[in-house]
Amino acid sequence: MLGLLGFYDELDAGPGAGQPNGSLPEAVRPTGEPDEASLVAYLDAGHYLIDVMEFGRDVITGDPHRHSPGCSSLLTDGTWLWRQDLPHYVETHHVALPEAFTEHVRGKDYRMPPLITAEFAPHYNETMPVVGWTSFAPWPSAAAALEPPPREATGTAASETAMSAPY
């Protein structure tokens, strides 16, 4: 099964709430890791698995943020699975990430690896029901490997400017 990141109780208060990562406020720290910006960039570069059309706000402050559009979309690096809004909570509230994840990312020199279908598909199929996607389709890709697309890094300042526009 994939490691789970950012699945906090406050982000899904539906039936059977009690998410794998517990309470978000309990994960908040006054400061982040020395390499927090690199960890956030890695999370931002993940492979999109499920793109959800929605608009959410920071559950701690109530403010919109750079990942408000599609905040519960799911991303992966093939070993870990996280919500699209996790980088916001890491860079803004310095939420703690599991040591196994930070070591994994540092060991990859903060570079998103390709997604190898034969290795990833069984983990995807096993993990999706655990995160509430009980009616998911099995991993659909027939490609042997999926390379991460290049993405422009969007920092907090640029996102705050965009989010300050009226909706």
Side-chain angles (χ1 to χ4, degrees):
M1 189 167 93
L2 299 169
L4 302 175
L5 302 167
F7 293 92
Y8 296 105
D9 296 341
E10 295 78 10
L11 302 176
D12 183 14
Q19 294 296 307
N21 299 124
S23 174
L24 179 56
E26 291 176 10
V28 171
R29 300 176 302 163
T31 59
E33 295 286 332
D35 58 346
E36 183 174 273
S38 296
L39 294 167
V40 167
Y42 183 89
L43 290 166
D44 279 337
H47 299 275
Y48 276 91
L49 297 181
I50 296 177
D51 195 7
V52 178
M53 294 187 63
E54 66 183 338
F55 185 89
R57 294 179 178 270
D58 183 311
V59 298
I60 295 173
T61 66
D63 296 330
H65 55 84
R66 70 185 180 99
H67 289 302
S68 287
C71 58
S72 65
S73 297
L74 299 179
L75 290 85
T76 189
D77 65 358
T79 303
W80 294 86
L81 179 72
W82 59 91
R83 290 172 48 106
Q84 177 180 285
D85 56 0
L86 179 61
H88 162 73
Y89 291 104
V90 173
E91 71 188 349
T92 304
H93 303 291
H94 314 294
V95 298
L97 294 168
E99 185 176 338
F101 173 75
T102 57
E103 288 177 6
H104 167 78
V105 173
R106 291 170 183 143
K108 296 193 171 304
D109 198 27
Y110 308 96
R111 293 186 190 150
M112 184 58 53
L115 204 56
I116 308 300
T117 297
E119 296 169 7
F120 176 69
H123 299 298
Y124 170 87
N125 296 340
E126 179 183 28
T127 305
M128 295 313 290
V130 174
V131 296
W133 289 84
T134 55
S135 61
F136 75 100
W139 179 245
S141 180
L146 301 174
E147 293 291 335
R151 291 192 203 134
E152 185 176 323
T154 305
T156 304
S159 298
E160 287 174 356
T161 301
M163 289 297 160
S164 65
Y167 285 93

